[in-house]
């Protein structure tokens, strides 16, 4: 199954996390989402989000001014 994509470019904290959480809430365990963000603070936010939920931050990278996060839906979203 292909990963879903979520574009939250131009949004600032807490909106990228809130939109990601809302999408993950609708996804099945094990499904993946790729999030595209431009908020520099999103690096800290997404690491913290995944560390405090059952979701897994599989990878993150920077493409120019865009931060890309690969997240796998965990067993439950806190």
């Amino acid at each position: 199954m292909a990963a879903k994509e979520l574009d939250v470019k131009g949004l600032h904290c807490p909106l990228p996390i809130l939109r990601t959480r809302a999408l993950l809430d609708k996804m099945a365990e094990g499904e993946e989402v790729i999030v595209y963000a431009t908020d520099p603070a999103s690096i800290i936010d997404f690491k913290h989000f995944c560390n405090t939920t059952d979701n897994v931050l599989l990878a993150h990278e920077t493409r120019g001014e865009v931060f890309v996060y690969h997240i796998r839906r965990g067993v439950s979203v806190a």
Side-chain angles (χ1 to χ4, degrees):
M1 176 183 284
K4 296 182 187 234
E5 294 189 353
L6 179 63
D7 184 345
V8 293
K9 295 186 296 259
L11 300 178
H12 297 282
C13 184
L15 291 176
I17 294 295
L18 293 175
R19 299 250 174 110
T20 301
R21 179 187 295 268
L23 178 58
L24 286 167
D25 284 346
K26 298 174 186 173
M27 294 170 57
E29 177 183 343
E31 286 188 296
E32 297 179 10
V33 61
I34 301 171
V35 182
Y36 302 94
T38 51
D39 183 2
S42 67
I43 296 169
I44 295 167
D45 296 339
F46 277 99
K47 284 182 181 180
H48 179 72
F49 172 70
C50 289
N51 285 336
T52 58
T53 65
D54 289 328
N55 300 301
V56 179
L57 181 59
L58 299 170
H60 66 88
E61 63 183 296
T62 304
R63 297 180 189 167
E65 295 182 10
V66 178
F67 304 97
V68 183
Y69 304 96
H70 298 258
I71 300 170
R72 180 183 304 132
R73 170 69 154 87
V75 176
S76 64
V77 176

